[in-house]
Amino acid sequence: MAFSLGLQDWGAILLATGVFLYLKNNRRRSNYPLPPSPKGRLPVLGHALQFPTNHGWTTFERWGNELNSDIIYLDAAGADVMVVNSYQIIRDLFDSRSSIYSGRSTFPMVNELMGYDWTMPTLQYNSKWKAQRRIFSKFFSASNPSAYQPRITEFVGLLLPKLLDNPEDFIAHIKHMVGATVTSLAYGIKVQPTNDPNLRLAQDSLDSVLEAFIPGKYLVDQIPALKHLPEWLPGTGFLQDAKRGRETMVRLLELPFADAERQIANGTARPALVSMVLDDVREMTDPEEIEYTVRQCKELAAVFFGAGYDTTHATIINFFLAMVHHPEVQAKARSEIDRVVGFDRLPAFSDEEHLPYLRAVMKEVLRWRPVSAIGLPHMSSQEDVYDGYFIPENTLIIPNQRGMLFDPETYPNPTEFKPERFLSADGKSLNPAVRDPQTIAFGFGRRMCPGFHIATAELFLAAASILATFELSKAKDEAGNIIEPSLDVSAGITSHPLPFKCVIKPCSKKAEVLIYTNATQYDA
């Protein structure tokens, strides 16, 4: 059915936009000043056109240096935005004052137009969000490692022969391993060896959402009234993007869950989040409670599936990048593993406490190449004053996580990959005085990633198993020249390593036998 706007419709849109901007610009004044702002503020649009769409942390750090301030105010077409480059400020706001700094933006593009208004990362701090967290914690609590460690052990074990047989495709193998793990934990279903439709669906969904989350990418996030414009109007390509995103969202929500239901019914599904929640549903008698719980399960499984897949595989690939660029670190970590684990078995989770250097390597990977370089903004639910600065109600607060992880006062020479920064003087234990990058890399306050312990567990076992069995080095071209892997990252709200080549060779014949022997115990 065709849709068009008459003069009255256009007038309503312009009036709504004008009222929105008037109210924002004429909110109750405070006796306290706003934080400093970068130059170039325009009438009506404010700083909206200055928002960086690529590698935003660099711009945020530059603004902080120019203004000599760790907290920066931006007017995004009438919307209040603050960028925070300081860990201490973020902790003061998101942790100490979490009751008023745990909200989210309405995210007009992602939530309203694309339809992702049910995901834990984008939900407001409300009963629905709390219910999702409660369900996740019930089945995957950090205090119950038996719920996820055996599955991680299995899929890491199945990764190793793939690296041995086809090392050139190591990035694809890592993505498949992480995808198989989260799919198994969330849905209890297998993934196909190649081109799995559910993994493609997860990647398509992530690509569209993460693109939409880039600050300044879509003006509709600053001026929500634009969402009412017709698709045929020039300049409304964002509506077509939103339509494609919504179609992907529906498939992500429905298709893997339907696969799980079929396999549960025929007895081929493994215990997982979906099967355990549906077991609880069978004990319910209230139809509304059943419908609500099933919907919550469907949504939470999709969140676990998509979010867990993206950040974890990128972090493991960053580990490869670090080992290729720093062979001395690789050799030292392998020596520690050989001493603790030996050569007759693969590393296990029980070895972790005896591998302080490898644990320091993992922390440095998280710090040196944070996947979440810029965190999703929190929103203030009421007016506040911090360090003499006024923070209006409904202010979006963007944490510059990369800036915090590269703070030279906390991490001297931050561009260097140096695991020793996290060790005690004798190198036999971690130094608790050095800030753990996990406290930054996985978010803050009540909105900290609830599955960070699963991600770090998979990172540890993958790294330990790979170093115990393989040597990683830089690739060479046909002329024998070394190919230097790029240290740049992809543009976007999450920072993925750019594709690179490396050489992956088994440490010994005994390592090859161990890899194949270990993999035979699993039904691939």
Side-chain angles (χ1 to χ4, degrees):
M1 183 174 63
F3 178 74
S4 61
L5 293 180
L7 290 177
Q8 288 184 333
D9 299 310
W10 277 107
I13 291 173
L14 293 173
L15 177 62
T17 302
V19 169
F20 169 77
L21 294 176
Y22 174 82
L23 292 175
K24 291 296 295 183
N25 289 322
N26 291 273
R27 60 180 176 271
R28 183 172 66 83
R29 300 296 180 184
S30 169
N31 293 327
Y32 295 91
L34 293 165
S37 299
K39 297 178 181 180
R41 182 174 181 175
L42 299 173
V44 181
L45 290 177
H47 302 97
L49 301 182
Q50 293 179 253
F51 270 87
T53 56
N54 293 320
H55 301 77
W57 57 88
T58 302
T59 301
F60 296 156
E61 289 176 18
R62 175 171 55 81
W63 283 343
N65 292 331
E66 290 173 353
L67 298 169
N68 193 28
S69 176
D70 286 326
I71 183 168
I72 302 159
Y73 173 77
L74 301 166
D75 170 11
D80 298 305
V81 179
M82 291 186 185
V83 174
V84 177
N85 291 325
S86 162
Y87 172 78
Q88 188 57 56
I89 295 176
I90 282 293
R91 285 294 303 271
D92 289 344
L93 298 179
F94 292 177
D95 290 343
S96 301
R97 308 185 193 185
S98 60
S99 61
I100 63 174
Y101 287 102
S102 295
R104 288 290 199 220
S105 164
T106 55
F107 295 124
M109 182 64 179
V110 172
N111 278 5
E112 299 181 45
L113 294 177
M114 296 173 68
Y116 286 91
D117 57 352
W118 46 266
T119 72
M120 194 187 303
T122 61
L123 276 170
Q124 293 296 333
Y125 183 68
N126 54 24
S127 59
K128 185 179 180 67
W129 179 89
K130 293 176 184 178
Q132 286 194 7
R133 296 276 293 210
R134 187 165 55 249
I135 294 172
F136 185 89
S137 297
K138 177 180 179 180
F139 297 113
F140 294 112
S141 168
S143 62
N144 183 27
S146 62
Y148 55 89
Q149 285 186 355
R151 215 69 64 91
I152 291 174
T153 301
E154 173 183 345
F155 289 107
V156 169
L158 292 171
L159 166 69
L160 300 179
K162 293 179 181 178
L163 295 176
L164 188 58
D165 296 337
N166 187 13
E168 294 82 8
D169 291 333
F170 74 98
I171 292 178
H173 298 327
I174 293 168
K175 289 184 176 181
H176 187 273
M177 182 268 289
V178 174
T181 304
V182 294
T183 302
S184 182
L185 290 173
Y187 297 101
I189 60 180
K190 291 182 178 181
V191 299
Q192 297 177 9
T194 58
N195 297 319
D196 181 80
N198 287 327
L199 294 188
R200 289 202 309 272
L201 182 56
Q203 190 65 64
D204 290 345
S205 172
L206 286 163
D207 289 345
S208 62
V209 169
L210 295 176
E211 180 78 8
F213 269 135
I214 297 174
K217 175 69 177 179
Y218 292 108
L219 192 58
V220 69
D221 286 324
Q222 280 88 49
I223 308 178
L226 296 178
K227 66 188 177 185
H228 299 295
L229 296 175
E231 293 183 11
W232 52 262
L233 192 70
T236 58
F238 69 93
L239 293 175
Q240 289 298 323
D241 293 347
K243 183 178 180 180
R244 288 190 293 269
R246 181 175 285 271
E247 292 170 351
T248 302
M249 178 276 297
V250 172
R251 294 199 303 271
L252 176 70
L253 198 60
E254 300 293 341
L255 298 184
F257 189 83
D259 285 346
E261 286 188 307
R262 283 192 293 269
Q263 294 192 29
I264 291 170
N266 63 31
T268 58
R270 303 177 71 174
L273 173 67
V274 169
S275 63
M276 290 185 285
V277 174
L278 293 183
D279 283 344
D280 289 347
V281 167
R282 294 186 184 94
E283 303 298 321
M284 299 176 182
T285 57
D286 183 352
E288 291 187 2
E289 182 184 14
I290 292 173
E291 181 181 1
Y292 175 78
T293 305
V294 170
R295 175 72 183 187
Q296 286 283 77
C297 175
K298 187 181 295 186
E299 293 170 348
L300 181 56
V303 172
F304 185 17
F305 176 45
Y309 171 67
D310 179 61
T311 55
T312 306
H313 79 65
T315 303
I316 295 175
I317 295 170
N318 278 331
F319 163 75
F320 272 69
L321 185 66
M323 294 301 95
V324 168
H325 272 285
H326 301 279
E328 74 288 353
V329 172
Q330 179 183 167
K332 190 172 181 178
R334 181 179 297 107
S335 176
E336 181 184 62
I337 294 169
D338 292 346
R339 185 175 65 255
V340 172
V341 177
F343 303 93
D344 297 321
R345 65 176 179 87
L346 290 175
F349 284 108
S350 58
D351 298 313
E352 185 171 7
E353 62 179 307
H354 306 295
L355 298 168
Y357 187 76
L358 180 61
R359 293 167 68 191
V361 170
M362 298 301 96
K363 293 184 184 301
E364 185 69 339
V365 168
L366 290 172
R367 186 204 67 81
W368 179 67
R369 282 295 179 274
V371 176
S372 296
I374 299 174
L376 283 180
H378 291 215
M379 176 175 275
S380 60
S381 60
Q382 65 184 55
E383 294 178 354
D384 194 18
V385 174
Y386 179 82
D387 196 25
Y389 290 128
F390 176 56
I391 301 178
E393 181 181 357
N394 295 328
T395 295
L396 286 181
I397 302 176
I398 301 175
N400 182 4
Q401 290 167 268
R402 195 270 187 188
M404 299 173 202
L405 291 167
F406 274 61
D407 177 7
E409 293 187 7
T410 305
Y411 308 109
N413 301 314
T415 59
E416 295 183 10
F417 187 86
K418 189 177 180 181
E420 289 79 6
R421 71 175 81 242
F422 296 106
L423 293 172
S424 59
D426 61 8
K428 295 181 179 180
S429 63
L430 296 175
N431 183 357
V434 180
R435 185 175 298 148
D436 190 338
Q438 291 183 28
T439 62
I440 299 173
F442 292 100
F444 308 93
R446 299 179 184 181
R447 306 216 66 130
M448 184 177 182
C449 172
F452 78 92
H453 53 285
I454 299 176
T456 54
E458 192 163 17
L459 173 61
F460 162 75
L461 196 65
S465 301
I466 289 164
L467 290 182
T469 52
F470 293 102
E471 292 182 357
L472 313 179
S473 59
K474 296 176 182 178
K476 296 181 180 180
D477 61 21
E478 295 179 355
N481 301 310
I482 291 177
I483 302 174
E484 291 290 341
S486 174
L487 291 176
D488 201 358
V489 295
S490 63
I493 196 165
T494 59
S495 303
H496 290 195
L498 300 181
F500 62 96
K501 295 181 178 181
C502 75
V503 176
I504 304 173
K505 292 183 178 180
C507 293
S508 65
K509 286 292 182 182
K510 189 170 185 177
E512 291 187 43
V513 173
L514 180 60
I515 288 170
Y516 287 130
T517 302
N518 176 75
T520 58
Q521 65 181 300
Y522 303 117
D523 178 16

